[in-house]
Amino acid sequence: MDKNFEEGQFQGTIKFTPPLSKQRYQFIKDLVAKYSPKKVADLGCADCKLLWMLKFCSCIEVLVGLDISASIMKEKMHMLSPLPVDYLQPTERSLSVTLYHGSVAHKDPCMLGFDLVTCIELIEHLEESELKKFPEVIFGFMAPSIVVISTPNVEFNTLLPGVTSFRHPDHKFEWNRVQFQSWALETARRYDYSVEFTGVGHSPRGVENIGFCTQIGVFLRKYPQTSGFALSEKSSETVYKTVFKAVYPSLKDEKYLQNTLVGEVVFTAQIIKQSLLNHLMSESEEHNDNTTARKAQLQPCFSNDMRKLGVEKSMEPFVKGKVVYVPLKTIFSFPKVNQLCGTFEKLCKLIAGKVKLSSDGYALMLSTEHED
Amino acid sequence: MTGRARARARGRPPAQGTALPAVGAAAAQKALPGQLPRQKQPQQPCARSPVPEETAGRGRQRQTQNVPQGQERKPEGLQISAGLQELSLSDRGGRRRDFHDLGVNTRQTIEHVQDSKTGTSGSVIKLVANYFRVMSRPQWALYQYHVGYNPEMEARRLRSALLFQHEKLIGKTHAFDGSILFLPRKLDNKVTEVFSRTRNGEDVKITITLTNELPPSSPTCLQFYNIIFRRILKMLNLQQIGRNYYNPDDSITIPNHRLVVWPGFTSSILQYEENIMLCADINYKVLRSETVLDFMYNLYYQVEEARYRDICAKELIGLIVLTKYNNKTYRIDDIDWGGNPRHTFRKADGSEISFVDYYKRHYNQDITDLNQPVLVSQPKRRANSLPGPVILIPELCFLTGLTEKMRNDFNMMKDLSIHTRLPPEQRQREIRKLRDYIQNDENVQKELQDWGLNFDSHLLSFPGRVVQGEKILQSGNVFDYNPQFADWSKETRGTPLICPKPLDNWLLIYTRRNYDIANTLVQNLFKVTPSMGIKMKKATMIEVDDRTEAYQRALQQSITPDTNIVFCVLSSSRKDKYDAIKKYLCTDCPIPSQCVLARTLSKPQTAMAVATKIALQMNCKMGGELWTVEIPLKQVMIVGIDCYHDTFAGKQSIAGFVASMNQTMTRWFSRCAVQTRGQELVDGLKACLQTALREWFKWNKCLPSRVIVYRDGVGDGQLNTLVSYEVPQFLDCLRSVGRDYNPRLTVVVVKKRLNARFFAQCGETFKNPPPGTVVDVQVTRPEWYDFFIVSQAVRNGCVSPTHYNVIYDTSKLQPDHIQRLTYKLCHMYYNWPGVIRVPAPCQYAHKLAFLVGQSIHKEPNLQLSDRLYYL
């Protein structure tokens, strides 16, 4: 549990640092770090702040938000778009972020197969009829591995300044610990989940017995993942409306992999070419007062690299006429290239047609013409 | 001819911190669509006041009521625009600059163009331009409301939340910045009172008061259109970088240089002559697929250690970076070599955290190199940001744009231009794509419909005029040139120059390795000069070591009072040698000089052509004259001004100033004004104009009866400064010459960086409009006396027109005459036997400012001022 929040000075007013909303999000982030879920959905995602924080968690590959208000999601949804840099340096993981407009009282097959579903300060906004349907939709239909539900603890309200009835005018109810826990235990029992209770926002010294300001239930599914067959059996009609969808560039997508790889291959070849040319120049012009002598410093350290990598004689680049030949094997031996394509065959396949190769396909050809 | 000559001076002036009275305060007097465009507006007796009267955009009524007249109204206008922009731009900080110079109404002061500002000569040509009309419902208006809270609520988000508890009343379509609310429809009552309750159960009275019904052409409304359009671009999933939007899905990678090019759009919606239109152009963003840290490492291996930090700073400072974790751009202002990612900073809540921990915790970003220096970015003044510089980690930053070094890399630019230089046909097709995107996106269409707006499905088409080509006059010969190429190098070859200068006594300095090259050059010059009429004697050949000091010593020892010119063959494009030579020969020992790279001279196939060009250039530098065109105006002095802004060395700006000295516009007087920080550029210009008039008197035995100033180097949003400060100073200067002296003054602002593109429609195909195409309808601005000329011809890609805005004019010259004169002046640049993009005086001023800014850093010796030594 996160212990780094401070208790506010207790003098009738209570102030949480960091703010309670941030503590709730941090709680989810910690949970994500612990369980490494791949598919995460946030129900009642509102201004998408939690989703935005979660998109930086590298284990998550599918991120979904659902809210009853489309306009509130739209206001900040572009925060969830990929950044320019995500295109410049695509990562290994794939990530898609989708926002749906819809109600937690309705079933939609797009919510199936999730590892973690969060409902932060959601249930207290539900009308009685919706609250009734809610457990069946979340636990019966979606049936994710983990469900997190947070809601205000009404026992704490006496410590909050200015709160006379509910903490927010839209709240339909606020539960005390017994009410929440009995609802949660009953729900867990019915849908074969286990539940643990915790919370954020410690009560001040002296009144520890009133519990956390926000009470949280963490539900874990007791039975294993439903099989694909069962999923398809469950699927009903789609009722949610897609408001936003962003697919992040990923190296798993061949288009981005190829682009990145070709870029890396050409750049590596350029370095090899430059160092070869510098070497040749410094050999032929050692007496010259030109600046090339200093550039030759690059050569030894480069050769060391090559030796370290166990480069054989036949893999050495050479110049013939106005063309530099850089063997593909040499390029493949560079870690960055190696990491990207894994096998030599894949390298050949991916760069085919994108770079100029010698007739036997053995080496990359670079012109010396451009040189100053 | 040297590498430097190719380098472009980027005439982008420093950002103006304090903006002009923007949107709200603008004098919105112009026609609604459908109204007669040239309808005369009632004039105010005092036409030009530094603070334009406001007629629209009174957003915060309560504040306005008791505001005294005069200056204090200015910030009010600013508040409105800043507040409004926050609607869409809050994610990148509100911008307060008015890039479109809205509300600077200069036409109303120029009497003879009140009825018409169009020219008449030339043949009609059918043009298509990159503009789409903005269509709105009839009687469309935007309703502006002031929203007040009682008790007062501070937080913008809270204010929004409370207001939108009443969405039923307000409707789904709205724009709200926390105090000003815009609606596409009118509420039932002028004042509406509603109650909301906060989380704490506090009841708040919200008063929604109608403050304005804005017609489509009001400046606030225009700004509003632009905000809506930005929303739309976002909805199309385009990525915002800086001011424009790009489509990463269509990115082009250029692995040779580790570059990525993103195609995108620049767009702006403005009131043009008869319609409100969207101007959209294709734009490319150059990004790099390496981090700043990668870049630093690569550079480290390329340069010597001792100079590394200097070079690194020079390369990086001024560049814009993107980060891995947010969608902001930062300008690198400094590198902190003492800093590293383990250093800590104080967060907004007061706690200390190291950069490594901060980025790990908030963005899950690992910093692997803990010894890297950090980048420093000084944010421009923003309302909500924390004071002090922003520290950036090189490993988490990516570079955008091109460095000066890259711009000078011919191969790189060539590789880039393959992708970025679209021929006219393709360009107009790409521009139309934007319209298709808008048309085919359901959400976008809905948003537009909600606001009652739409865009015309066709690009704007209208007639332009092609004025007749000029005749090139050279020593009694008259030449026509092929208008398609706008070049007369072939036609005039072998013709004597108007005024050849003899090469009696000249020095040729070279290194041992370039001995043969130097000799060949002399032989070639002997071959090409006789037909030009240049008398040439053998050069004094001086061989030097390839060191700066060796060149300097040779200059000091060998120059005599009779030396006509010094010729230096340089073996590399190293800047320091060139700078040292130019500095010595422009200040301490004023002699014209010609520096040429050995490489340029070494290719046998181009040797003669190069020798010809060099002979012509040397002749100009010594005060010779090449050709002229017919100039019917008499007693006129043409002035050209351009600026160079040195971003690195002390941030000084240099204004180049040239003035014609004779009727044929073949001789130019020049001076330059070096402006240090905090000094107004105009002070120096005044002194320049004074000396130019004195010099004119010496040459002509009288003073000019007309002065026409072509002012280049004016940034977006600086027009008001020019109108309110620079023009009055010019007038002052002319008045100070003598009591009876009252010449006519014309000031024309010249702008090359435009988004406007014109295509000549020939049947179904689109071509570049021919040189001499003049446009003074439709795409011009109603409040200006402005026009476009396409003067140059391009071989690849699209030609870009030049915009001329006559901001002051007592000449009473017909618009047609000003247009013709401007086009004629584009023929008079002696470094290029063809028509160029700007009038020659602007290009001369540019060359001068560039030379001084790049190499000399102080005003050159005035003994050179009657020659084109800066070519």
Side-chain angles (χ1 to χ4, degrees):
Chain A
M1 269 303 306
D2 194 307
K3 289 277 182 223
N4 68 358
F5 46 82
E6 296 161 25
E7 287 159 26
Q9 56 275 60
F10 180 50
Q11 205 102 73
T13 61
I14 196 149
K15 211 178 149 203
F16 295 101
T17 34
L20 204 55
S21 59
K22 279 200 179 163
Q23 291 191 34
R24 288 192 285 260
Y25 293 154
Q26 188 58 45
F27 178 86
I28 301 296
K29 274 176 86 177
D30 293 339
L31 211 66
V32 167
K34 188 174 165 193
Y35 291 102
S36 303
K38 275 191 180 172
K39 290 181 76 175
V40 179
D42 183 28
L43 311 185
C45 63
D47 64 358
C48 308
K49 186 74 193 278
L50 178 60
L51 292 173
W52 175 78
M53 288 168 86
L54 292 178
K55 83 167 192 165
F56 292 104
C57 297
S58 48
C59 59
I60 298 174
E61 294 180 0
V62 175
L63 206 48
V64 163
L66 174 73
D67 205 283
I68 194 74
S69 160
S71 60
I72 192 162
M73 285 193 284
K74 278 182 183 170
E75 206 175 301
K76 291 279 174 72
M77 67 185 179
H78 293 288
M79 289 196 318
L80 301 174
S81 296
L83 298 172
V85 168
D86 291 321
Y87 290 92
L88 294 177
Q89 214 178 47
T91 54
E92 187 56 44
R93 81 149 162 169
S94 61
L95 171 66
S96 73
V97 185
T98 318
L99 296 179
Y100 294 109
H101 176 208
S103 160
V104 289
H106 296 140
K107 297 174 186 176
D108 188 298
C110 68
M111 300 305 282
L112 294 174
F114 279 79
D115 301 309
L116 170 65
V117 169
T118 61
C119 310
I120 303 301
E121 308 293 276
L122 167 77
I123 55 169
E124 64 275 12
H125 291 273
L126 301 179
E127 299 284 355
E128 210 183 321
S129 60
E130 294 169 321
L131 184 67
K132 251 191 195 139
K133 291 182 197 151
F134 176 76
E136 169 53 24
V137 177
I138 306 297
F139 298 93
F141 177 74
M142 297 184 193
S145 320
I146 309 166
V147 177
V148 181
I149 294 176
S150 86
T151 191
N153 167 17
V154 75
E155 295 165 70
F156 206 97
N157 283 9
T158 52
L159 298 178
L160 300 174
V163 175
T164 45
S165 58
F166 292 148
R167 294 185 196 174
H168 188 274
D170 188 53
H171 285 182
K172 308 300 184 302
F173 59 87
E174 279 174 11
W175 280 338
N176 60 30
R177 279 170 292 171
V178 176
Q179 284 168 310
F180 177 58
Q181 289 178 12
S182 60
W183 175 86
L185 286 166
E186 168 56 21
T187 306
R189 188 194 56 77
R190 193 185 308 161
Y191 296 99
D192 201 12
Y193 276 71
S194 68
V195 59
E196 269 177 41
F197 298 103
T198 173
V200 293
H202 280 285
S203 46
R205 234 166 268 129
V207 280
E208 283 91 349
N209 56 340
I210 62 166
F212 292 103
C213 188
T214 298
Q215 44 185 341
I216 299 174
V218 180
F219 299 75
L220 299 176
R221 197 183 56 214
K222 288 202 216 152
Y223 59 95
Q225 178 90 49
T226 332
S227 70
F229 175 71
L231 280 182
S232 65
E233 199 181 37
K234 268 183 180 176
S235 47
S236 50
E237 254 175 61
T238 56
V239 288
Y240 296 167
K241 231 182 110 195
T242 308
V243 172
F244 171 87
K245 181 158 177 109
V247 177
Y248 279 60
S250 153
L251 293 173
K252 291 213 174 75
D253 181 341
E254 189 155 293
K255 181 182 129 193
Y256 291 109
L257 176 62
Q258 187 175 43
N259 249 331
T260 313
L261 182 67
V262 169
E264 203 56 49
V265 164
V266 173
F267 186 74
T268 309
Q270 292 279 0
I271 293 176
I272 296 172
K273 175 185 109 177
Q274 201 54 53
S275 121
L276 176 71
L277 292 180
N278 288 342
H279 183 65
L280 293 175
M281 235 171 19
S282 60
E283 264 179 3
S284 64
E285 284 187 44
E286 237 142 37
H287 57 282
N288 205 304
D289 65 333
N290 222 326
T291 48
T292 44
R294 134 188 100 71
K295 285 203 172 165
Q297 292 168 349
L298 230 168
Q299 183 57 25
C301 76
F302 172 69
S303 318
N304 282 340
D305 280 350
M306 300 266 277
R307 238 166 274 137
K308 243 186 273 162
L309 295 161
V311 176
E312 302 151 35
K313 252 290 183 255
S314 66
M315 282 168 64
E316 267 172 26
F318 58 93
V319 188
K320 207 161 124 190
K322 283 182 172 174
V323 178
V324 180
Y325 291 83
V326 184
L328 282 183
K329 289 260 186 212
T330 315
I331 295 171
F332 182 64
S333 66
F334 274 68
K336 269 194 178 169
V337 177
N338 200 303
Q339 260 169 31
L340 279 170
C341 53
T343 65
F344 187 68
E345 288 65 39
K346 197 165 179 196
L347 171 73
C348 297
K349 192 185 139 228
L350 282 169
I351 62 169
K354 297 276 175 186
V355 293
K356 203 175 170 198
L357 293 178
S358 57
S359 52
D360 55 359
Y362 170 78
L364 197 76
M365 291 165 70
L366 297 166
S367 165
T368 56
E369 273 296 79
H370 279 3
E371 289 320 302
D372 204 347
Chain B
M1 281 267 134
T2 63
R4 224 157 320 287
R6 245 188 271 124
R8 285 196 298 133
R10 287 198 290 158
R12 200 181 295 176
Q16 261 202 325
T18 49
L20 315 168
V23 167
Q29 49 94 292
K30 273 307 149 181
L32 296 169
Q35 242 176 308
L36 278 177
R38 280 167 209 154
Q39 193 180 16
K40 251 196 169 178
Q41 299 290 330
Q43 292 293 309
Q44 286 173 349
C46 151
R48 210 164 33 72
S49 66
V51 185
E53 287 294 309
E54 53 168 31
T55 58
R58 207 161 290 175
R60 296 180 184 184
Q61 278 236 307
R62 238 174 273 158
Q63 291 173 15
T64 324
Q65 275 160 4
N66 293 324
V67 170
Q69 292 294 310
Q71 285 191 325
E72 273 162 68
R73 307 187 76 174
K74 204 162 158 186
E76 199 238 344
L78 285 174
Q79 274 176 6
I80 291 168
S81 78
L84 229 186
Q85 290 190 339
E86 219 177 299
L87 279 176
S88 71
L89 299 175
S90 55
D91 50 338
R92 22 196 61 244
R95 284 169 198 275
R96 291 199 190 117
R97 262 179 79 183
D98 168 19
F99 291 105
H100 304 297
D101 295 304
L102 290 169
V104 185
N105 190 332
T106 45
R107 187 178 172 185
Q108 64 183 4
T109 65
I110 306 171
E111 239 163 71
H112 69 284
V113 292
Q114 292 305 307
D115 289 331
S116 165
K117 64 172 184 186
T118 52
T120 47
S121 59
S123 54
V124 174
I125 181 172
K126 197 174 177 199
L127 295 178
V128 164
N130 57 337
Y131 294 78
F132 296 99
R133 275 199 203 91
V134 177
M135 325 284 264
S136 56
R137 284 192 296 258
Q139 265 88 54
W140 187 94
L142 187 67
Y143 298 91
Q144 182 179 339
Y145 289 88
H146 176 264
V147 183
Y149 296 82
N150 187 18
E152 193 56 51
M153 294 287 131
E154 284 297 323
R156 192 177 84 96
R157 281 184 62 182
L158 182 59
R159 291 166 76 107
S160 301
L162 291 172
L163 179 65
F164 295 127
Q165 289 180 17
H166 303 280
E167 202 166 61
K168 275 205 188 95
L169 170 80
I170 293 160
K172 280 209 154 130
T173 312
H174 49 68
F176 183 58
D177 75 341
S179 131
I180 302 167
L181 172 73
F182 289 104
L183 297 177
R185 61 187 191 91
K186 203 170 176 176
L187 299 179
D188 291 338
N189 301 315
K190 196 166 181 288
V191 181
T192 313
E193 283 184 0
V194 288
F195 289 88
S196 292
R197 179 169 289 187
T198 66
R199 266 166 201 260
N200 302 335
E202 193 178 2
D203 284 320
V204 181
K205 184 167 90 175
I206 304 175
T207 315
I208 307 165
T209 317
L210 180 70
T211 52
N212 241 321
E213 278 182 39
L214 300 164
S217 58
S218 76
T220 313
C221 217
L222 288 170
Q223 199 173 13
F224 173 79
Y225 288 148
N226 282 294
I227 288 166
I228 295 294
F229 197 71
R230 280 168 177 274
R231 270 194 199 171
I232 285 170
L233 293 171
K234 267 191 187 172
M235 287 165 87
L236 292 170
N237 271 330
L238 297 177
Q239 286 271 343
Q240 184 180 9
I241 302 176
R243 262 197 274 173
N244 302 325
Y245 288 79
Y246 299 91
N247 184 359
D249 289 332
D250 292 348
S251 71
I252 305 150
T253 45
I254 307 174
N256 275 357
H257 310 291
R258 286 210 142 176
L259 295 181
V260 179
V261 180
W262 284 9
F265 299 101
T266 70
S267 68
S268 65
I269 298 174
L270 279 179
Q271 169 76 56
Y272 293 97
E273 208 65 54
E274 291 165 32
N275 297 287
I276 296 168
M277 293 193 282
L278 162 72
C279 173
D281 192 23
I282 304 300
N283 183 279
Y284 291 92
K285 190 80 197 172
V286 177
L287 302 167
R288 281 187 253 173
S289 46
E290 59 181 353
T291 64
V292 177
L293 187 64
D294 291 336
F295 176 88
M296 288 171 123
Y297 267 111
N298 282 335
L299 189 69
Y300 186 74
Y301 289 122
Q302 285 170 31
V303 301
E304 28 192 300
E305 184 132 16
R307 292 171 61 216
Y308 172 65
R309 288 187 177 188
D310 268 0
I311 294 176
C312 192
K314 222 168 208 166
E315 286 277 322
L316 288 177
I317 287 175
L319 286 184
I320 305 293
V321 294
L322 290 163
T323 72
K324 274 187 172 183
Y325 44 86
N326 66 15
N327 199 10
K328 286 186 186 151
T329 48
Y330 300 90
R331 182 183 186 275
I332 303 177
D333 291 311
D334 201 2
I335 302 171
D336 178 4
W337 297 99
N340 71 51
R342 278 170 302 188
H343 284 194
T344 61
F345 69 102
R346 194 176 287 278
K347 288 206 294 181
D349 66 8
S351 59
E352 287 269 338
I353 189 167
S354 73
F355 293 105
V356 191
D357 292 342
Y358 176 80
Y359 286 110
K360 180 69 191 166
R361 189 172 306 165
H362 283 259
Y363 302 106
N364 202 31
Q365 298 291 337
D366 293 305
I367 297 173
T368 53
D369 187 333
L370 296 175
N371 294 316
Q372 59 190 308
V374 295
L375 309 174
V376 182
S377 177
Q378 300 284 354
K380 293 195 190 124
R381 268 188 301 133
R382 278 180 195 158
N384 303 322
S385 65
L386 294 165
V390 175
I391 302 295
L392 301 163
I393 308 296
E395 195 178 343
L396 303 179
C397 294
F398 281 71
L399 292 168
T400 71
L402 298 168
T403 59
E404 204 56 45
K405 197 170 134 201
M406 293 161 96
R407 277 178 207 283
N408 293 336
D409 182 338
F410 178 70
N411 296 315
M412 178 179 285
M413 294 312 279
K414 203 176 88 190
D415 289 350
L416 255 179
S417 71
I418 296 170
H419 302 288
T420 57
R421 259 193 215 149
L422 301 179
E425 184 70 37
Q426 212 179 328
R427 191 166 200 115
Q428 64 89 23
R429 215 179 308 129
E430 293 291 323
I431 293 165
R432 279 172 206 268
K433 268 192 195 167
L434 178 62
R435 156 76 207 179
D436 295 341
Y437 289 152
I438 292 169
Q439 197 63 36
N440 299 334
D441 190 296
E442 215 178 289
N443 292 328
V444 169
Q445 277 303 307
K446 193 173 173 307
E447 175 87 15
L448 283 171
Q449 269 162 24
D450 287 347
W451 287 107
L453 297 171
N454 211 340
F455 296 96
D456 195 352
S457 55
H458 299 289
L459 287 170
L460 182 76
S461 87
F462 56 91
R465 288 176 292 115
V466 185
V467 300
Q468 76 185 83
E470 293 297 327
K471 296 205 181 319
I472 305 302
L473 313 174
Q474 193 169 322
S475 306
N477 301 287
V478 180
F479 301 98
D480 284 316
Y481 59 88
N482 182 344
Q484 208 188 325
F485 306 115
D487 177 329
W488 49 84
S489 54
K490 282 207 182 72
E491 284 79 356
T492 54
R493 186 171 298 158
T495 313
L497 309 176
I498 292 179
C499 171
K501 291 280 173 184
L503 274 169
D504 289 331
N505 189 338
W506 60 297
L507 308 181
L508 205 169
I509 304 177
Y510 58 93
T511 58
R512 196 181 63 187
R513 217 203 304 183
N514 294 324
Y515 175 73
D516 291 339
I517 288 176
N519 256 327
T520 316
L521 173 74
V522 174
Q523 284 163 22
N524 288 338
L525 284 175
F526 270 119
K527 282 180 204 156
V528 299
T529 46
S531 66
M532 298 175 186
I534 298 172
K535 292 197 185 69
M536 184 180 134
K537 288 190 181 144
K538 274 201 107 167
T540 310
M541 306 280 279
I542 304 163
E543 188 170 297
V544 294
D545 286 346
D546 196 8
R547 282 180 295 114
T548 307
E549 307 81 66
Y551 277 90
Q552 278 171 320
R553 209 176 316 118
L555 294 175
Q556 280 157 7
Q557 287 168 355
S558 311
I559 289 173
T560 68
D562 297 328
T563 307
N564 307 123
I565 193 166
V566 177
F567 194 110
C568 298
V569 180
L570 301 177
S571 52
S572 74
S573 55
R574 284 280 293 267
K575 194 173 173 302
D576 45 0
K577 210 172 288 160
Y578 178 87
D579 290 355
I581 294 167
K582 286 290 175 188
K583 196 166 186 173
Y584 180 68
L585 294 178
C586 287
T587 56
D588 305 332
C589 174
I591 301 249
S593 57
Q594 181 80 43
C595 294
V596 179
L597 280 179
R599 188 155 41 102
T600 316
L601 299 169
S602 64
K603 290 180 187 136
Q605 59 281 26
T606 57
M608 288 314 260
V610 169
T612 307
K613 287 208 83 169
I614 288 173
L616 293 173
Q617 208 177 0
M618 285 181 12
N619 192 59
C620 296
K621 285 182 174 180
M622 293 186 293
E625 299 158 39
L626 306 187
W627 65 78
T628 187
V629 294
E630 199 199 339
I631 308 275
L633 268 186
K634 305 282 180 260
Q635 300 270 305
V636 58
M637 181 169 90
I638 307 281
V639 172
I641 300 170
D642 196 6
C643 297
Y644 173 86
H645 301 282
D646 198 340
T647 45
F648 197 76
K651 308 228 177 197
Q652 60 180 4
S653 293
I654 284 117
F657 177 102
V658 305
S660 68
M661 285 294 125
N662 58 359
Q663 167 64 27
T664 49
M665 308 289 165
T666 56
R667 296 299 302 267
W668 299 87
F669 165 83
S670 70
R671 274 197 72 173
C672 74
V674 180
Q675 170 219 19
T676 47
R677 225 176 185 176
Q679 194 188 338
E680 283 296 331
L681 197 58
V682 68
D683 300 340
L685 291 179
K686 218 173 146 180
C688 291
L689 184 59
Q690 263 159 356
T691 25
L693 286 167
R694 227 175 288 139
E695 204 69 12
W696 211 88
F697 187 82
K698 268 191 231 159
W699 281 64
N700 299 282
K701 305 289 171 272
C702 64
L703 283 165
S705 61
R706 295 172 190 278
V707 176
I708 300 179
V709 179
Y710 285 94
R711 175 69 157 92
D712 202 344
V714 181
D716 294 334
Q718 289 188 318
L719 197 61
N720 197 43
T721 320
L722 230 69
V723 173
S724 341
Y725 301 102
E726 215 165 290
V727 173
Q729 293 284 311
F730 285 146
L731 287 169
D732 219 37
C733 177
L734 293 176
R735 240 175 270 132
S736 68
V737 171
R739 201 180 297 155
D740 305 326
Y741 183 54
N742 192 16
R744 298 178 164 181
L745 175 69
T746 306
V747 181
V748 186
V749 174
V750 181
K751 221 166 191 180
K752 302 182 292 287
R753 292 165 156 267
L754 306 173
N755 293 330
R757 300 279 176 173
F758 303 136
F759 308 102
Q761 196 173 358
C762 323
E764 288 299 295
T765 61
F766 293 89
K767 287 183 183 156
N768 277 322
T773 301
V774 177
V775 171
D776 52 14
V777 292
Q778 294 276 356
V779 291
T780 49
R781 301 262 290 261
E783 74 275 26
W784 292 345
Y785 169 18
D786 62 335
F787 55 90
F788 295 85
I789 299 182
V790 175
S791 48
Q792 81 280 30
V794 295
R795 270 194 225 128
N796 305 312
C798 281
V799 71
S800 75
T802 305
H803 183 250
Y804 297 92
N805 185 5
V806 185
I807 58 167
Y808 184 85
D809 187 16
T810 51
S811 74
K812 300 220 161 55
L813 284 175
Q814 292 299 312
D816 202 57
H817 294 159
I818 283 283
Q819 293 170 359
R820 291 292 300 277
L821 175 69
T822 305
Y823 184 50
K824 279 172 189 284
L825 288 169
C826 296
H827 291 69
M828 291 304 297
Y829 181 60
Y830 281 166
N831 230 1
W832 182 255
V835 198
I836 61 163
R837 209 172 149 184
V838 291
C842 289
Q843 191 62 17
Y844 287 140
H846 162 75
K847 287 291 279 188
L848 172 63
F850 189 74
L851 174 72
V852 174
Q854 281 263 306
S855 307
I856 306 176
H857 306 296
K858 61 176 180 180
E859 173 150 30
N861 196 308
L862 284 180
Q863 282 181 43
L864 290 167
S865 65
D866 61 343
R867 278 163 278 179
L868 302 173
Y869 65 96
Y870 39 82
L871 275 189

